[in-house]
Amino acid sequence: MLTCNDATRLLSDSQEDRLSFKARMSLTAHLMMCSGCRNFGRHLQILREAARAFAAGEDERTGEEQGQP
Amino acid sequence: MSNPEGAPDLAASEELRDGPFIEDWRRQMIKFATLQLGNAQWAEDAVQEALVGAYKNAGAFRGRAALKTWVFAILKNKIADALRHRQRVVEASAPLREDDSADELAGPFDERGFWRTAERPVAWENPERAVHDHQFWRVFEACLDALPPQQARVFMMRELIELSADEICQAADITAGNLHVILHRARLRLRRCLERNWFGEGERPC
């Protein structure tokens, strides 16, 4: 049985590498029971998208829009 | 045209000089450098120097990916130089492999490794709306800025600069194991910061 520390680590690792079959199975079992880690997994996706949008200058574009009266 | 042997190299450096992607790189590099140096002018200087190196050596690289890795490795050195110059020697020269397990991020989990009640992630409302909100980006930047320097550096290499895990290990001289530990910590911390300062209105699951 994975702890939340283990599960979030696997979720994080899966952003770099494909997890082993065994790791995917234990992770799936944990996520079925743990809403906190399910949310964490979604947050990782949002973090990634936000970081890329930030690097692409999205924050500056919203800044310009808001600068208009 | 009349120089078929030199043509590929010439093409590569031409592309580097004129390609629209160079503007994207520049923007990423400026962000990367500014967040780490905390000073726009120093960041500008470091990026400029790194790009000059890139222009000079564009012909020696096959493909953009290899060149990009290399340019960012140079930038990282320029940043380290600039930090040292600011007498932040300890921080700048701290090797990335140094274990920062003593940092306060025993935080989100209890001693058995499960979420503490107050730390358990909640569902975030309307994340797609946040990216269009100027204020969200100020929070995002502040949260990045609040990461410990090692975590910030590696996280930015991975998610802002989009280097692969292998490339980061090489550029930062760390093992794959270290990379995963650092990214896990950085993501836990960033997530918590965004939830506390932006997305925190959702119901906490029991």
Side-chain angles (χ1 to χ4, degrees):
Chain A
M1 165 81 188
L2 295 180
T3 66
C4 297
N5 196 358
D6 299 331
T8 55
R9 167 67 191 268
L10 288 177
L11 285 165
S12 176
D13 287 359
S14 73
Q15 301 239 304
E16 276 70 59
D17 299 311
R18 191 172 158 76
L19 298 176
S20 70
F21 179 76
K22 186 165 171 269
R24 288 204 304 279
M25 289 300 104
S26 357
L27 183 58
T28 305
H30 181 94
L31 292 180
M32 274 164 49
M33 297 179 301
C34 181
S35 63
C37 288
R38 281 201 300 279
N39 286 329
F40 180 85
R42 289 189 201 108
H43 298 167
L44 286 191
Q45 294 303 322
I46 297 167
L47 260 187
R48 170 157 286 182
E49 283 159 26
R52 289 183 179 172
F54 182 69
E58 184 66 35
D59 60 313
E60 283 153 29
R61 282 194 286 280
T62 59
E64 282 157 25
E65 281 162 26
Q66 299 235 329
Q68 302 292 327
Chain B
M1 300 268 186
S2 59
N3 179 15
E5 281 186 358
D9 289 357
L10 184 63
S13 61
E14 285 296 312
E15 189 185 28
L16 178 64
R17 206 158 274 132
D18 303 325
F21 70 93
I22 201 72
E23 206 27 62
D24 293 340
W25 286 11
R26 228 185 80 82
R27 195 177 293 128
Q28 291 177 351
M29 290 167 78
I30 293 276
K31 286 236 157 76
F32 184 68
T34 305
L35 282 165
Q36 296 192 37
L37 292 171
N39 177 306
Q41 187 55 53
W42 289 333
E44 195 80 47
D45 292 347
V47 169
Q48 205 51 46
E49 286 179 46
L51 282 174
V52 167
Y55 288 140
K56 279 191 197 146
N57 294 283
F61 288 86
R62 294 195 183 281
R64 284 181 204 174
L67 179 61
K68 187 179 183 185
T69 309
W70 184 78
V71 171
F72 277 99
I74 293 186
L75 178 62
K76 194 187 136 268
N77 288 334
K78 299 286 176 203
I79 290 170
D81 288 347
L83 288 172
R84 258 177 229 121
H85 207 236
R86 285 170 61 192
Q87 316 271 309
R88 288 172 60 182
V89 182
V90 179
E91 201 170 86
S93 61
L96 280 171
R97 70 171 68 79
E98 188 179 275
D99 185 27
D100 60 349
S101 58
D103 80 22
E104 104 244 17
L105 214 89
F109 305 112
D110 63 23
E111 60 286 348
R112 295 173 316 143
F114 293 92
W115 295 108
R116 294 178 197 284
T117 310
E119 296 283 346
R120 196 178 298 136
V122 300
W124 288 356
E125 301 288 335
N126 294 311
E128 60 289 329
R129 202 186 296 160
V131 300
H132 300 300
D133 191 320
H134 184 60
Q135 200 52 40
F136 169 76
W137 292 114
R138 299 284 71 78
V139 170
F140 187 82
E141 197 163 352
C143 287
L144 265 184
D145 217 17
L147 289 176
Q150 298 181 344
Q151 290 176 25
R153 213 169 299 164
V154 171
F155 180 83
M156 285 192 271
M157 285 186 188
R158 180 72 188 115
E159 304 290 8
L160 272 73
I161 320 287
E162 298 180 45
L163 295 181
S164 73
D166 288 346
E167 288 167 335
I168 298 169
C169 288
Q170 222 176 336
D173 191 24
I174 53 175
T175 64
N178 272 315
L179 176 88
H180 287 126
V181 170
I182 293 170
L183 285 173
H184 181 215
R185 289 191 184 140
R187 285 163 175 154
L188 281 168
R189 205 182 270 264
L190 260 182
R191 190 214 68 77
R192 178 169 61 178
C193 182
L194 289 178
E195 185 161 303
R196 285 192 179 161
N197 296 290
W198 187 263
F199 292 108
E201 270 117 62
E203 289 286 305
R204 200 165 292 285
C206 70

